[in-house]
Amino acid sequence: MLDVFIEQKSQQLIYYVSRFLRGQIPHRELHLFIWDTLEEWAQLKVSHHTPATFREQVFWHVLYQLEYWSEQELQRDKILRKQLQNCLGYLRGKVCLPLDCVGIRP
C-alpha cells in the first residue's frame, strides 16, 4: 500500500512540478496538489517502524521544498530549481540518488 501510494503520487508530483517550473500551471494548483496528497497520506495507516525507501525520502523532500520556498523563489532561484529537477530525475528513474535530498514523513 505504501509503495503504491509513493509511486502514484511521485508520478503526479513529477507532472505538477515540471509544469509549474515551465510556467504552465499556477502555484496555487501545485499547492492544492500538495495538500490533497497530505490528506490522502493521513488516511493511510503506515507504521512509524516501517523504514522509508530512498524514493520516499526524495518524494517528501520535494514536497517540503515546494511548501517551504515562496512562489517567487521557486520561479527565480536557479540552484533551487536545479535541485528540484535532480530530484524529479531520480523519481523518474533517470539519475542517481541526489545525496542532499532526504525528506522525512509528515
Side-chain angles (χ1 to χ4, degrees), residues 2-57:
L2 172 60
D3 291 337
V4 172
F5 176 86
I6 294 299
E7 178 59 33
Q8 289 175 346
K9 290 300 173 181
S10 290
Q11 295 308 312
Q12 293 172 0
L13 182 64
I14 291 166
Y15 173 85
Y16 278 92
V17 176
S18 297
R19 274 144 190 85
F20 171 75
L21 293 176
R22 289 193 299 250
Q24 296 174 334
I25 65 168
H27 185 260
R28 70 181 178 285
E29 192 169 331
L30 179 62
H31 181 73
L32 287 173
F33 163 74
I34 292 166
W35 283 99
D36 286 346
T37 299
L38 291 172
E39 284 182 23
E40 290 177 43
W41 172 258
Q43 309 225 352
L44 289 180
K45 303 297 182 216
V46 178
S47 168
H48 65 277
H49 297 294
T50 305
T53 63
F54 290 129
R55 183 176 183 82
E56 183 184 351
Q57 291 176 26

Side-chain angles (χ1 to χ4, degrees), residues 48-76:
H48 65 277
H49 297 294
T50 305
T53 63
F54 290 129
R55 183 176 183 82
E56 183 184 351
Q57 291 176 26
V58 171
F59 172 82
W60 292 120
H61 175 81
V62 172
L63 282 183
Y64 175 80
Q65 294 299 310
L66 295 170
E67 282 300 298
Y68 179 80
W69 298 105
S70 71
E71 178 180 359
Q72 292 75 27
E73 288 168 307
L74 290 168
Q75 291 172 335
R76 296 183 185 141

